[in-house]
């Protein structure tokens, strides 16, 4: 009983410390001057996390490089995501600023408490509550932190590199700089009709971007022989995601210009249209060895069907064999990993070195290695990376942006 009471006391103390730091930042407190968590061994990570959460409110009505405002971007990106087990789309909390504030103050701590209770960690639940509330290290936390940095950085610097979030602009600029990208068809429009429909049904017309339209019309690419050998027969084009990080804005002489942070092989599922439905296999960037995989698809269970379908917490990378093909992917090696890394480092340097983080979708196809697109509010897709390096550079970015806006 004493242990339980101590855990409850420590948990409440953690919650109050979180609230105090959150409201400090919400009221305009500076990251560079924060008095919070100074004696905590993880003070840097904790303050960055809570400061980043507060940016949801401070960026709310600010212009966004692709979606009008930061709020609009959140609504679009979170509509297909729910806190696992709840079915409630996270975009709901982006409808109004007061709902977002309610999420930060009430819902998020309750979610962290729920995770701990579901895992049944007994006497140690106060430790895990602190971990999830103050210093989470899941894919979602890092993705949203990247998104907030991109929005703040783009809005403050007006860096032209953010224009390459547009897929057509990216393809044109990359092609002009002799960077291999997926080819497009140079036609004005495409007219498609169903072979068996009548009465004007089953007819579709697409105006190509080459003629000022909204669609990029491309021939379907095929996985290379190596990639295809790992997957079921009816699988989509399955890409490699490498995240690169530029230090151009902070210009620290002790750092490299461009870092390759993480590498993930997205092994598409049988019958899927794209590799957004996939097993995410971590990749050793030094050797190209494919490590164990995992799936984050339980985050996509939106609606009633998502209620109690799967818990928030899932163990780390544990999948070795592709569940549809039965092929053991773990232990295989991505060919030409050094050339692939050189390709994305060069692309980041040449095309958008003024952009902080870029998630590159790289396809190994029957026609060769090529870039499909660049994602500037990028996701690590649960790939492992040097967290200390990431936190240090993230802090330098935010401190410089804070200083430059005085």
């Amino acid at each position: 009983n004493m242990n339980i009471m101590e855990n409850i006391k420590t948990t409440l103390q953690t919650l109050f410390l979180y609230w105090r730091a959150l409201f400090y930042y919400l009221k305009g407190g500076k990251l560079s001057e924060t008095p919070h968590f100074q004696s905590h061994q993880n003070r840097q990570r904790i303050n960055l996390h809570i400061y980043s959460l507060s940016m949801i409110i401070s960026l709310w009505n600010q212009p966004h490089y692709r979606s009008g405002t930061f709020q609009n971007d959140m609504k679009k990106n979170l509509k297909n995501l729910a806190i696992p087990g709840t079915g409630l789309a996270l975009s709901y909390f982006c409808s109004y600023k007061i709902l977002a504030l309610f999420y930060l103050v009430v819902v998020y701590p309750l979610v962290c408490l729920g995770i701990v209770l579901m895992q049944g960690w007994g006497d140690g639940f106060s430790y895990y509550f602190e971990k999830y509330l103050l210093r989470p290290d899941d894919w979602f936390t890092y993705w949203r932190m990247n998104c907030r940095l991109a929005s703040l950085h783009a809005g403050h610097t007006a860096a032209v590199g953010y224009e390459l979030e547009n897929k057509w602009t990216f393809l044109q600029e990359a092609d002009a700089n002799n960077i291999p990208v997926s080819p497009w068809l140079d036609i004005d429009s495409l007219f498609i009709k169903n072979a068996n429909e009548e009465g004007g049904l089953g007819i579709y017309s697409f105006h190509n971007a080459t003629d000022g339209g909204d669609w990029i019309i491309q021939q379907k690419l095929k996985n290379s022989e190596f990639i295809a050998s790992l997957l079921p027969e009816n699988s989509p084009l399955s890409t490699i995601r490498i995240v690169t990080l530029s230090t151009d804005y902070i210009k620290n002489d002790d750092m490299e210009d461009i870092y390759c942070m993480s590498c993930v092989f997205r092994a598409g599922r049988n019958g899927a249209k794209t590799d957004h439905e996939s097993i995410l296999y971590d990749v050793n960037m030094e050797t190209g060895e494919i490590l164990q995989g995992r799936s984050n698809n339980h985050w996509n269970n939106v609606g009633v069907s998502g209620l109690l379908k799967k818990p928030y917490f899932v163990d780390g990378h544990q999948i070795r064999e592709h569940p549809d093909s039965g092929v053991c992917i773990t232990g295989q090696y991505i060919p030409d990993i050094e050339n692939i890394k050189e390709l994305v480092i060069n692309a980041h340097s040449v095309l958008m070195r003024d952009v902080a983080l870029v998630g590159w979708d790289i396809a190994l196809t029957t026609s060769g290695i090529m870039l499909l697109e660049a994602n500037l509010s990028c996701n690590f897709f649960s790939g492992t990376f040097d967290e200390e390096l990431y936190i240090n550079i993230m802090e330098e970015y935010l401190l410089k942006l804070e200083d430059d806006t005085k």
Side-chain angles (χ1 to χ4, degrees):
N1 289 337
M2 181 63 69
N3 285 339
I4 293 175
M5 294 304 298
E6 284 297 320
N7 269 277
I8 292 174
K9 179 181 177 181
T10 303
T11 297
L12 289 174
Q13 289 175 337
T14 298
L15 179 60
F16 286 125
L17 290 172
Y18 164 76
W19 279 342
R20 191 169 66 173
L22 177 64
F23 281 101
Y24 165 79
Y25 292 123
L26 288 174
K27 291 188 294 183
K30 301 294 186 181
L31 179 63
S32 59
E33 300 171 359
T34 182
H36 300 288
F37 299 102
Q38 291 305 305
S39 61
H40 199 290
Q41 62 179 350
N42 294 301
R43 59 186 178 276
Q44 182 188 34
R45 178 186 288 266
I46 293 172
N47 276 299
L48 281 176
H49 171 56
I50 300 176
Y51 181 80
S52 179
L53 289 176
S54 75
M55 289 166 61
I56 294 172
I57 305 302
S58 62
L59 290 171
W60 190 265
N61 293 319
Q62 295 300 309
H64 192 272
Y65 61 90
R66 68 179 178 189
S67 301
T69 66
F70 181 70
Q71 179 203 8
N72 289 338
D73 193 67
M74 286 193 296
K75 288 172 69 175
K76 289 196 299 184
N77 276 280
L78 299 178
K79 66 181 179 181
N80 294 323
L81 291 175
I83 299 170
T86 68
L88 182 60
L90 285 165
S91 58
Y92 171 79
F93 297 103
C94 304
S95 301
Y96 301 97
K97 189 183 288 189
I98 190 66
L99 284 177
L101 186 60
F102 178 73
Y103 177 86
L104 294 175
V105 176
V106 178
V107 177
Y108 174 50
L110 285 176
V111 168
C112 295
L113 181 61
I115 299 169
V116 174
L117 294 178
M118 281 192 296
Q119 296 308 304
W121 271 313
D123 291 343
F125 76 80
S126 61
Y127 167 82
Y128 288 101
F129 179 76
E130 183 206 73
K131 178 181 185 297
Y132 283 113
L133 184 67
L134 302 184
R135 46 189 178 89
D137 59 358
D138 57 274
W139 73 272
F140 181 79
T141 296
Y142 287 125
W143 173 45
R144 298 314 302 166
M145 190 178 290
N146 292 346
C147 291
R148 294 171 205 135
L149 174 64
S151 185
L152 181 65
H153 183 243
H156 174 71
T157 64
V160 295
Y162 285 98
E163 295 176 6
L164 273 66
E165 179 78 33
N166 180 286
K167 295 175 175 61
W168 178 232
T169 303
F170 166 73
L171 289 175
Q172 289 179 297
E173 287 296 316
D175 186 62
N177 284 277
N178 297 315
I179 294 171
V181 290
S182 53
W184 58 88
L185 299 180
D186 192 11
I187 56 177
D188 294 342
S189 300
L190 192 65
F191 190 78
I192 300 174
K193 57 184 177 181
N194 188 287
N196 295 307
E197 294 280 358
E198 295 183 1
L201 300 176
I203 296 175
Y204 305 92
S205 179
F206 299 93
H207 189 192
N208 202 354
T210 58
D211 192 49
D214 294 327
W215 298 92
I216 302 172
I217 300 176
Q218 299 174 297
Q219 186 173 352
K220 185 177 180 179
L221 297 171
K222 296 180 180 180
N223 289 310
S224 70
E225 182 178 352
F226 167 73
I227 297 295
S229 70
L230 306 177
L231 306 173
E233 184 176 351
N234 188 24
S235 58
L237 185 69
S238 296
T239 60
I240 296 167
R241 164 62 66 89
I242 292 183
V243 173
T244 54
L245 191 159
S246 169
T247 61
D248 183 68
Y249 177 68
I250 54 180
K251 299 187 187 306
N252 189 321
D253 293 337
D254 295 329
M255 297 177 177
E256 297 178 18
D257 293 335
I258 307 286
Y259 285 95
C260 275
M261 296 296 294
S262 66
C263 182
V264 169
F265 170 50
R266 301 195 290 186
R269 300 300 303 272
N270 188 46
K273 291 183 178 180
T274 72
D275 61 2
H276 285 82
E277 187 178 346
S278 61
I279 305 299
L280 307 170
Y281 286 90
D282 199 14
V283 176
N284 183 322
M285 284 195 300
E286 298 303 316
T287 65
E289 182 182 7
I290 303 176
L291 309 176
Q292 296 188 90
R294 65 180 295 165
S295 172
N296 290 331
N297 288 336
H298 59 295
W299 281 78
N300 300 114
N301 295 324
V302 176
V304 177
S305 62
L307 287 172
L308 304 178
K309 194 166 186 179
K310 196 165 185 179
Y312 176 97
F313 181 87
V314 292
D315 292 333
H317 297 81
Q318 294 184 337
I319 303 173
R320 298 177 62 85
E321 297 180 353
H322 193 290
D324 302 323
S325 69
V327 174
C328 185
I329 293 180
T330 298
Q332 305 276 357
Y333 285 81
I334 299 292
D336 300 321
I337 190 65
E338 288 300 323
N339 288 333
I340 293 171
K341 289 192 295 183
E342 184 179 338
L343 170 62
V344 295
I345 289 174
N346 178 61
H348 198 159
S349 179
V350 171
L351 298 176
M352 54 186 98
R353 65 182 303 112
D354 54 352
V355 171
L357 287 150
V358 183
W360 304 96
D361 290 340
I362 307 125
L364 277 62
T365 76
T366 53
S367 301
I369 299 172
M370 60 188 70
L371 303 179
L372 300 184
E373 59 186 54
N375 303 273
L376 311 187
S377 292
C378 60
N379 190 336
F380 289 113
F381 286 117
S382 298
T384 56
F385 56 93
D386 187 333
E387 294 183 15
E388 182 179 359
L389 174 66
Y390 171 82
I391 291 296
N392 286 338
I393 294 179
M394 180 67 70
E395 182 181 53
E396 292 215 28
Y397 259 95
L398 292 175
L399 288 174
K400 189 171 191 323
L401 285 164
E402 185 178 82
D403 187 62
D404 288 350
T405 53
K406 285 183 180 179

